[in-house]
Amino acid sequence: MKQDELTDVIRKHAKKLRVEFAPGLTERILNDVDNEPGNLALLEFALTELWKTKTGYQLTHEAYQDIGQVKGALAKYADEKYENLTEEEKKRGRSIFIQLLYPGEETKDTGRRANREELGEENWNLIIRKDGLADSRLVVTGRDDTNNQEIVEVVHEALIQNWGQLRKWSKEYREFRTWQERNKRRTKEWKEGREQLLSERDLETAEKWIKKHEQEISRDEKKFIKESLKEQEKQRNKKKVVGVLRGILFILSSVMLAILGTYYYQKTSCDVGERVGQDCFRFIITSGDSQLFVGTTNEFLEKGVENFAAENFEAAEEDFENAKESAPYDPIPRIYENNARAINK
């Protein structure tokens, strides 16, 4: 409707009710109404509140100022109703309203419907009781026939855009609500068999938000997170078992390699009964024509053997350490060093 059409409707309706606007008040009110969607609802609410303050048969500029004018009338009314709640009810009211907001990404926040199950019974009682949020005309309830669920939503988008308290909550909870909306979608898809459980990284984020906002997270969302935690714990346990088995396999492989190497050396490099020493030791692993490990003369090893035979184990340990550095790929110095160290202790 154009402004002159709105003026005509307002004045005719006022005349029918035998009241009149103070001079210039009608024009003032309509000048405060922008052309944005939803402002007619604000106008309707402001006129209703103004009607309640009428003095005799006249609607005054002072009364219009007191109700907060067009944009402030609904916000002031919401503040009054909210302040009438107890401290515990205020916390529940906040939890309800932030669930009725869909956080905009580089756009304005919009309203969303929430069902009774996701809000919880205590919050739902605050909505439907006498003098509750619905009775105070801050929210409106209904039923979703598709899912046969009771639902609630903010009474009008104008409240979302003009109630300062709600905008404050929206800013404070924006990061959480943005995460929660994604989690709600994933929970729904998981229940339908179309979504995998949360990854370990996602779970870290989920656990952080549960600690901060457990009251605002629905039972289904918590179940989704709990099942994801169980699966991650199962995967961690599997990894531990695999790690232990790999360690055992490595140890067994090392022992078998040492046994086979010694057996190969004795069969190919030494006479039966000959001392296994540097002079005859050859531990050779071949790949084609390439030799990976080859024994060579090591003076430190021979000196260590002499000290070991003389029971000078501390000196022998030092000699074997030097022998190990001289021939890092030769296993014999390591074996002798361990023996000398064990006896020396």
Side-chain angles (χ1 to χ4, degrees):
M1 298 177 67
K2 296 179 181 179
Q3 186 162 330
D4 57 344
E5 293 173 326
L6 284 172
T7 302
D8 188 52
V9 169
I10 292 171
R11 285 177 175 171
K12 284 182 178 179
H13 196 64
K15 185 176 181 181
K16 187 182 293 185
L17 296 173
R18 296 182 180 181
V19 295
E20 61 180 17
F21 288 85
L25 180 56
T26 304
E27 290 76 15
R28 179 184 177 186
I29 293 172
L30 292 178
N31 285 335
D32 289 342
V33 180
D34 297 327
N35 293 323
E36 296 180 11
N39 279 355
L40 284 181
L42 284 177
L43 174 61
E44 177 188 4
F45 190 89
L47 291 173
T48 302
E49 293 300 297
L50 186 61
W51 166 262
K52 295 177 182 178
T53 66
K54 68 181 184 298
T55 303
Y57 294 100
Q58 190 176 55
L59 303 175
T60 66
H61 285 273
E62 290 78 9
Y64 178 61
Q65 189 73 28
D66 288 341
I67 67 170
Q69 305 174 60
V70 170
K71 291 188 176 181
L74 184 55
K76 185 176 180 181
Y77 172 82
D79 281 332
E80 290 173 355
K81 292 297 180 181
Y82 182 72
E83 287 303 318
N84 288 335
L85 301 175
T86 66
E87 290 304 314
E88 179 61 28
E89 290 170 343
K90 286 179 180 179
K91 291 179 181 179
R92 296 197 177 281
R94 178 187 60 193
S95 295
I96 292 167
F97 276 109
I98 65 172
Q99 292 299 316
L100 300 182
L101 285 181
Y102 187 86
E105 298 180 7
E106 300 182 357
T107 59
K108 291 182 179 180
D109 295 338
T110 55
R112 69 176 290 270
R113 292 178 174 180
N115 61 54
R116 182 171 184 165
E117 184 178 344
E118 66 178 302
L119 291 178
E121 287 303 310
E122 290 185 330
N123 286 343
W124 193 260
N125 288 335
L126 179 59
I127 292 171
I128 64 173
R129 76 176 195 195
K130 184 179 179 181
D131 294 328
L133 301 183
D135 201 28
S136 298
R137 295 183 296 148
L138 296 178
V139 300
V140 58
T141 59
R143 179 171 290 276
D144 183 353
D145 293 330
T146 304
N147 301 312
N148 193 29
Q149 292 179 324
E150 293 179 272
I151 57 172
V152 62
E153 58 187 321
V154 176
V155 67
H156 198 279
E157 290 287 330
L159 185 63
I160 297 174
Q161 306 305 330
N162 293 279
W163 189 17
Q165 181 65 72
L166 191 52
R167 291 202 307 272
K168 179 182 177 182
W169 290 335
S170 174
K171 183 177 180 180
E172 181 182 350
Y173 284 81
R174 180 169 298 278
E175 186 180 356
F176 162 67
R177 285 291 294 118
T178 300
W179 166 82
Q180 189 181 30
E181 282 303 309
R182 290 196 300 267
N183 198 56
K184 283 179 182 292
R185 288 194 296 270
R186 296 185 69 172
T187 300
K188 182 175 181 293
E189 292 173 357
W190 171 69
K191 290 179 68 177
E192 296 171 351
R194 297 187 293 114
E195 173 63 61
Q196 299 295 320
L197 293 170
L198 296 173
S199 67
E200 189 170 357
R201 182 177 180 181
D202 289 336
L203 275 172
E204 290 177 0
T205 304
E207 289 181 297
K208 178 189 74 172
W209 289 124
I210 285 181
K211 289 179 181 178
K212 290 185 177 181
H213 302 292
E214 183 176 3
Q215 188 175 345
E216 285 83 21
I217 299 175
S218 71
R219 183 174 59 185
D220 281 346
E221 294 171 73
K222 290 177 182 176
K223 184 178 180 181
F224 176 48
I225 294 169
K226 185 177 180 180
E227 291 300 318
S228 298
L229 282 169
K230 285 183 179 179
E231 181 62 26
Q232 286 298 318
E233 184 63 26
K234 190 185 298 183
Q235 294 300 323
R236 280 194 288 267
N237 289 337
K238 283 184 179 179
K239 288 180 180 179
K240 288 180 181 178
V241 172
V242 171
V244 170
L245 291 176
R246 284 179 176 173
I248 294 173
L249 181 60
F250 175 77
I251 292 171
L252 291 175
S253 298
S254 299
V255 171
M256 290 299 297
L257 182 61
I259 293 172
L260 290 174
T262 303
Y263 176 78
Y264 178 76
Y265 150 72
Q266 290 175 335
K267 290 294 183 180
T268 59
S269 303
C270 300
D271 294 331
V272 177
E274 184 180 359
R275 178 179 62 83
V276 180
Q278 179 63 24
D279 289 340
C280 68
F281 181 77
R282 294 290 185 273
F283 180 32
I284 304 172
I285 300 177
T286 62
S287 176
D289 294 330
S290 175
Q291 293 184 346
L292 301 180
F293 297 105
V294 180
T296 57
T297 301
N298 192 323
E299 294 179 358
F300 292 112
L301 182 62
E302 288 299 314
K303 186 177 179 181
V305 171
E306 292 175 1
N307 283 322
F308 190 94
E311 298 185 357
N312 189 1
F313 301 117
E314 186 175 349
E317 184 179 343
E318 183 178 352
D319 291 331
F320 292 142
E321 175 68 25
N322 293 330
K324 186 175 65 174
E325 293 179 1
S326 297
Y329 299 111
D330 190 343
I332 291 300
R334 297 175 183 273
I335 296 171
Y336 285 1
E337 180 190 25
N338 289 335
N339 291 335
R341 185 177 297 165
I343 295 174
N344 193 30
K345 288 182 179 180

